[in-house]
Amino acid sequence: MRLVLPLTKTARTRRGAAWLVSLLCLAALLQPATARADNPIVQTIYTADPAPLVHDGRVYLYTGHDEDGSTWFTMNEWRVWSSADMVNWTDHGAQLDIASFAWASKDAWAGHVVPRNGKFYWYVPVVNRATGRMAIGVAVSESPTGPFRDALGGPLVENGEIDPAVFVDDDGQAYLYWGNPNLWVVKLNSDMTSYQGSPARIPLTTQGFGARSGNPDRPTLYEEAPWVFKRNGQYYMVFAAECCSEFIAYSTAPSPTGPWTYRGTIMPRQGGSFTNHAGVVDFKGGSYFFYHNGALPGGGGFTRSVAVESFTYNSDGTFPTINMTGGGAPQVGTLDPYVRQEAETIAWASGVETEPSGEGGMNVGWIENGDWIKTKGVAFGAGARSFNARVASAAAGGSIEVRLDSPTGTLVGTCTVPGTGGWQNWTTVTCPVNGASGTRDLYFRYTGGSGYLLNVNWWRFSA
C-alpha cells in the first residue's frame, strides 16, 4: 500500500523509511508461504466494517475506507468488492461517498446494503451538517456495484447514533437496527426509505446481552455494530462487545424484536485493532464470518483491514469460537483464465493500487519494478498458448512476467508493454505462453525501469 490516490501519478509521494521497511519485511515473510496468505482480503487500501451480501452467485462486500496515516476514524467513502470464489476479489471502487449526500459533512462510517424490489439500498451513518449529529442516510442503486445515489435528500432517521444494519424477514417485513451506546430498531416500509411508527430502544439487559463489569454506564456487553439474520427459525444478533478492545459476541431470539438471550463469544479480542465489526453469510454451501483487524503494515485501530474465515455452526445452531488467521477462507471452485478477467481481481497484491479506468470500471496502476499480483486457483486445463492484456503507459512501459505458484516461480511468458502516450491510452498486447496447465496460482510480476511503469485494465489467456 501507498498513499491515497491523487489525480495524477506525478503527484504521488512515498512513505517514510519505516513504512518501506515494514512493507519489505511483510513481503519477505509472506513469499515462502504466499499460496496460503489470503487475509486480509484487500491489500491495496485500508478497509473496515465489512457488510457482505450474497447475490446472483457472487459475494458482494461493502466496506469503509480508512485513510492512510489516520489517527482517528478518518473515512470519506465506501467501497465495493465482489468474489465468486471467496479468494479472488474484484475491486469495484468507491460507489458512494460523503459528497453523495448534500446534507452530510463527514464520517463515512459503517454501513449495510440490502436488496429489495430489484434495487439495492445502502444504509450509512454520516454527520448531518445542519445538526452536527450522526444520522442514518440511505442510498439506492439498480446494481449491487453502483453507482449509488441519495434516496431521500436528507436523513432517514437521526438520534446521534451509528452502525445501521437491515434485516428482511421471511414475511417481507424489514427492520433497521443501529446504535451506540443504545440499540434501536424500527420497522421499515416496503419502499425501504421510510418507516412505521417511532424507533424503539431494545432493552439492554444482562440476560439479553451479557454482563459488563466496572462500567455502571454500560452494564451489558453490547457496544455497537449489530448484524441480524435468521437461521433455522432462530434470530441471531451478532455485535461488537465491550470496548476497548472489542470482541465479537452474539445473542439469539424467537423474533426479530426479541426477547434476546446472550449466547457468548464468537471471536475473542485479537488482531491489532481495538474495534471489530462482523458480517455473516452463507455462500455455495459454506458459512463465512467477515471482520476487520490491523494486520497490514501500518495497521491499527484507525487503519484497519477486512478479513474472512470459513466456519461450521455447532449441531445445536450455536457459533464455534472463530479466531483470526492469515490463511483466510478456502477457495470455492476455480478461476477461468479463458474469459476476460479484470486486472483488479486480486487474491494478494504487493505494491500496486487501483484507480477508475477511462474505459469503465477500475484498473490496476501505480506499478513499479518488482510489484506483483496473485490470482489464486486458476484452471488452465490442458494448457494456455497465449496471454492478452489491456495496458497503458505514459512512461516507457515495462514487462509483465507471467509466473506460476510464487512471484519468483516458473516463468511461462513475458509480455512487453510499450509507452502508449498516457496512463489511460489503452492498447492490447499479446505474448506466447508455455507451461501453464492444470490448476495453479497465477502471478503477474512487473519489471522495468524506475518510476511508474504501466497500468493494466484486464487480461485473458487463449487455449
Side-chain angles (χ1 to χ4, degrees), residues 190-240:
S190 60
D191 62 10
M192 303 300 284
T193 58
S194 61
Y195 56 85
Q196 308 169 23
S198 299
R201 189 159 61 182
I202 295 175
L204 291 177
T205 66
T206 55
Q207 179 182 357
F209 296 92
R212 182 188 315 216
S213 61
N215 187 346
D217 295 328
R218 301 289 291 261
T220 76
L221 294 174
Y222 176 84
E223 189 76 27
E224 58 188 352
W227 180 274
V228 177
F229 64 97
K230 186 179 184 180
R231 182 177 183 272
N232 295 338
Q234 184 167 237
Y235 297 85
Y236 293 70
M237 179 178 291
V238 176
F239 58 91

Side-chain angles (χ1 to χ4, degrees), residues 89-109:
W89 291 89
T90 301
D91 184 351
H92 300 284
Q95 297 298 329
L96 189 68
D97 59 25
I98 290 295
S100 301
F101 301 96
W103 51 273
S105 62
K106 62 178 181 177
D107 292 346
W109 289 1

Side-chain angles (χ1 to χ4, degrees), residues 168-439:
V168 182
D169 207 350
D170 298 336
D171 61 1
Q173 179 61 60
Y175 298 83
L176 170 66
Y177 304 84
W178 77 102
N180 179 344
N182 301 294
L183 177 57
W184 299 85
V185 64
V186 70
K187 288 184 177 181
L188 295 176
N189 295 320
S190 60
D191 62 10
M192 303 300 284
T193 58
S194 61
Y195 56 85
Q196 308 169 23
S198 299
R201 189 159 61 182
I202 295 175
L204 291 177
T205 66
T206 55
Q207 179 182 357
F209 296 92
R212 182 188 315 216
S213 61
N215 187 346
D217 295 328
R218 301 289 291 261
T220 76
L221 294 174
Y222 176 84
E223 189 76 27
E224 58 188 352
W227 180 274
V228 177
F229 64 97
K230 186 179 184 180
R231 182 177 183 272
N232 295 338
Q234 184 167 237
Y235 297 85
Y236 293 70
M237 179 178 291
V238 176
F239 58 91
E242 196 178 32
C243 186
C244 289
S245 62
E246 294 174 342
F247 62 97
I248 301 296
Y250 76 112
S251 302
T252 61
S255 84
T257 56
W260 297 96
T261 299
Y262 181 65
R263 298 300 182 187
T265 298
I266 303 174
M267 177 170 279
R269 293 181 173 95
Q270 53 193 258
S273 168
F274 60 84
T275 67
N276 203 345
H277 193 118
V280 183
V281 293
D282 288 342
F283 179 63
K284 294 185 177 180
S287 297
Y288 298 91
F289 187 89
F290 290 80
Y291 60 95
H292 67 227
N293 59 25
L296 287 182
F302 303 119
T303 43
R304 298 161 291 181
S305 296
V306 168
V308 64
E309 309 293 342
S310 63
F311 74 97
T312 301
Y313 290 94
N314 297 321
S315 59
D316 60 358
T318 58
F319 272 93
T321 299
I322 302 173
N323 289 300
M324 301 180 185
T325 73
Q331 188 168 7
V332 182
T334 56
L335 185 139
D336 185 353
Y338 301 117
V339 300
R340 170 174 158 166
Q341 298 287 349
E342 297 300 315
E344 62 276 12
T345 298
I346 297 169
W348 195 272
S350 176
V352 306
E353 289 189 1
T354 63
E355 63 183 348
S357 170
E359 295 190 319
M362 304 288 284
N363 65 255
V364 172
W366 319 107
I367 296 170
E368 295 177 281
N369 182 55
D371 290 350
W372 53 266
I373 288 175
K374 168 192 172 184
T375 306
K376 188 173 182 179
V378 178
F380 290 107
R385 293 297 181 88
S386 65
F387 171 72
N388 306 282
R390 189 70 168 166
V391 296
S393 177
S399 295
I400 304 174
E401 295 180 353
V402 182
R403 294 182 177 269
L404 302 179
D405 301 329
S406 82
T408 57
T410 303
L411 180 66
V412 297
T414 301
C415 265
T416 300
V417 177
T420 64
W423 297 114
Q424 295 295 320
N425 292 348
W426 297 97
T427 191
T428 303
V429 296
T430 302
C431 59
V433 171
N434 183 32
S437 62
T439 298

Side-chain angles (χ1 to χ4, degrees), residues 73-130:
F73 301 109
T74 306
M75 308 172 78
N76 301 313
E77 64 185 14
W78 298 268
R79 307 279 295 219
V80 185
W81 323 81
S82 72
S83 177
D85 61 13
M86 295 303 297
V87 296
N88 297 302
W89 291 89
T90 301
D91 184 351
H92 300 284
Q95 297 298 329
L96 189 68
D97 59 25
I98 290 295
S100 301
F101 301 96
W103 51 273
S105 62
K106 62 178 181 177
D107 292 346
W109 289 1
H112 188 201
V113 175
V114 293
R116 190 79 184 267
N117 305 322
K119 296 181 179 180
F120 298 84
Y121 296 88
W122 202 338
Y123 300 84
V124 294
V126 292
V127 172
N128 183 347
R129 181 182 293 105

